[in-house]
């Protein structure tokens, strides 16, 4: 299983001072939530951790080796990224799209085999989009498209998930299903880091939290130490009312 070491990392948010450098480890079995208001740098951080953007300072190690020294294929065999934005290059069916998740495991020009297809079909069923397998992606609803994105990363079978708002567009049931899936991945020894706007999903499912402030300040640690109403109110510039339900805090905007 894989771990990500983040050392003295300053992500390159254009026009912003460095703020606090991040030093933390995302370890097998952990579920990290990244919280912060719009523009705080959550997506920029995730893309930096995936090696798609160069940090301003510091480094990211995947299994002890600097990300920058690993080939993209090696990275993609261990690390899966659920993008927030999607740009479909050419017309493809749902099944063909899920199979893209196998590309890091195939040599150039190698066709997908029976086992690849089995993994893709299982992932589509897990995300409840198997009945859409022959449909063109362009015909899907927003929530169906989001579930396909997650099914494609599940087909990729990474050790480490970086997920940018994985519950975007999802109804309540499918939000819960996706959070349970990601928690299950962690329980199976993989690691998860995800950006979330829903504090309550974070409180219920994440065991570690990273709070990113718009000025580049940050704090992180075990979720139960980070879910301080005053810190969260400062994070979002929003007063909150707090209740306890099912053993987890629930945060509601105060009017
Ligand atoms: N290429 C770019 N040029 C200029 N500014 C950029 C560029 N890319 C990102 N930014 C800015 O960097 C900041 C951080 O963006 P980022 O997408 O990481 O925020 P975020 O926390 O994910 O926001 P959201 O919650 O809205 O998704 C934003 O203010 C954004 O406008």
């Amino acid at each position: 299983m894989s771990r990500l070491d983040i050392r003295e990392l300053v992500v390159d948010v254009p026009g912003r001072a460095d703020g606090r450098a991040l030093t933390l480890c995302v370890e097998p079995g952990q579920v990290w939530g990244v919280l912060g208001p719009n523009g705080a740098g959550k997506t920029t951080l995730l893309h930096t951790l995936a090696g798609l953007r160069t940090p301003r300072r510091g480094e990211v190690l995947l299994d002890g080796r600097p990300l920058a020294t690993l080939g993209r294929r090696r990275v993609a065999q261990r690390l899966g990224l659920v993008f927030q934005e999607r740009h479909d290059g050419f017309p493809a069916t749902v099944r063909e799209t899920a199979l893209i998740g196998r590309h890091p495991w195939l040599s150039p020009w190698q066709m997908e085999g029976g086992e690849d297809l089995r993994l893709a079909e299982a992932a589509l069923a897990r995300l409840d989009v198997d009945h859409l397998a022959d449909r063109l992606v362009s015909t899907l609803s927003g929530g169906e498209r989001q579930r396909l994105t997650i099914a494609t990363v599940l087909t990729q079978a990474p050790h480490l998930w970086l997920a940018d708002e994985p519950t975007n567009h999802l109804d309540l049931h499918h939000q819960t299903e996706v959070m349970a899936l990601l928690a299950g991945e962690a329980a199976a020894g993989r690691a998860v880091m995800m950006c979330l706007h829903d504090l309550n999903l974070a409180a219920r499912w994440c065991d570690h939290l990273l709070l990113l402030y718009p000025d580049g300040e940050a704090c992180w640690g075990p979720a139960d130490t980070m879910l301080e109403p005053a810190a969260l109110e400062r994070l979002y510039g929003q007063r909150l009312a707090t209740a306890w339900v099912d053993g987890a805090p629930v945060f509601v905007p105060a009017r």
Side-chain angles (χ1 to χ4, degrees), residues 230-242:
L232 298 173
E233 287 181 342
R234 187 168 81 78
L235 184 68
Y236 292 108
Q238 170 65 48
R239 279 197 314 118
L240 296 169
T242 310

Side-chain angles (χ1 to χ4, degrees), residues 13-14 36-45 53 84 164-165 197:
V13 174
N38 291 142
K42 302 179 296 297
T43 296
T44 308
L45 170 66
R53 290 181 74 129
Q84 189 183 144
D164 199 353
E165 297 179 36
H197 276 302

Side-chain angles (χ1 to χ4, degrees), residues 189-246:
R190 291 176 273 278
V192 178
M193 184 177 243
M194 64 182 123
C195 302
L196 287 170
H197 276 302
D198 189 326
L199 262 178
N200 296 320
L201 288 180
R204 195 151 291 255
W205 295 98
C206 297
D207 47 53
H208 287 75
L209 292 174
L210 167 60
L211 274 45
L212 288 183
Y213 290 84
D215 61 358
E217 281 308 308
C219 53
W220 57 88
D224 54 354
T225 65
M226 303 307 295
L227 290 168
E228 277 294 322
L232 298 173
E233 287 181 342
R234 187 168 81 78
L235 184 68
Y236 292 108
Q238 170 65 48
R239 279 197 314 118
L240 296 169
T242 310
W244 283 82
V245 178
D246 271 356

Side-chain angles (χ1 to χ4, degrees), residues 79-99:
L79 186 154
L81 179 59
V82 176
F83 283 95
Q84 189 183 144
E85 300 296 337
R86 295 173 289 267
H87 305 284
D88 301 317
F90 51 87
T93 66
V94 165
R95 183 183 292 103
E96 288 164 346
T97 301
L99 277 168

